[in-house]
Amino acid sequence: MPSTIRNSLLWVFDPFENDETYLLRKMFGADVAYVHGVQCLAVVDRDAPWDGLLVCTAREHHESLMAEMPALRPHPVLGKWLYLPQTDAEFEAVAQHLTARVLAGDPRIGIAPKPRKPRKPGQPHQRATPARRVKP
């Protein structure tokens, strides 16, 4: 049964609504934005440490992104991504800066999704949650 609780942080993705490539997907209790075919940002509105914005990036980009936005830090559980708790005083400003960087095509932000493995013959079909195209 799908959750009826709406993520209060979805406003972070508002700047993406006019981008034709924007897709919104659910993943492990988070809402994830895909722009230009890559997984860019995730917002989670739960208990710490799942209470803010996650930046989908490679570890090699952590240093430069944290230098540009000092409020970012490696996520305490999912250390391959950067994190900004929603309680941070700079949350709104950093979220706006990150969405602008995504729309500008910053190569430091975004992870290409892994291709799905083909099903073996006779294996039951697993239903995947389809991506939603968010309409402006």
Side-chain angles (χ1 to χ4, degrees), residues 5-96:
I5 299 172
R6 181 168 160 79
N7 187 333
S8 70
L9 298 175
L10 282 173
W11 61 265
V12 170
F13 299 156
D14 286 352
F16 300 147
E17 288 183 1
N18 292 324
D19 188 298
E20 291 179 357
T21 68
Y22 171 53
L23 295 174
L24 178 65
R25 290 189 172 156
K26 291 258 188 216
M27 183 177 69
F28 306 117
D31 289 282
V32 183
Y34 288 75
V35 179
H36 304 296
V38 295
Q39 185 179 28
C40 298
L41 301 173
V43 289
V44 189
D45 189 9
R46 300 169 101 185
D47 294 327
W50 305 105
D51 66 334
L53 177 64
L54 286 95
V55 182
C56 310
T57 187
R59 290 182 201 267
E60 66 197 51
H61 301 303
H62 284 201
E63 188 177 332
S64 66
L65 287 166
M66 290 188 301
E68 184 177 330
M69 294 164 273
L72 292 175
R73 61 198 79 152
H75 190 272
V77 176
L78 192 62
K80 64 182 179 179
W81 289 354
L82 293 176
Y83 170 64
L84 179 66
Q86 65 178 319
T87 55
D88 191 286
E90 297 294 315
F91 184 84
E92 188 171 340
V94 173
Q96 290 172 349

Side-chain angles (χ1 to χ4, degrees), residues 15-16 19 35-36 98-106:
F16 300 147
D19 188 298
V35 179
H36 304 296
L98 282 164
T99 56
R101 299 299 322 134
V102 167
L103 289 170
D106 189 323

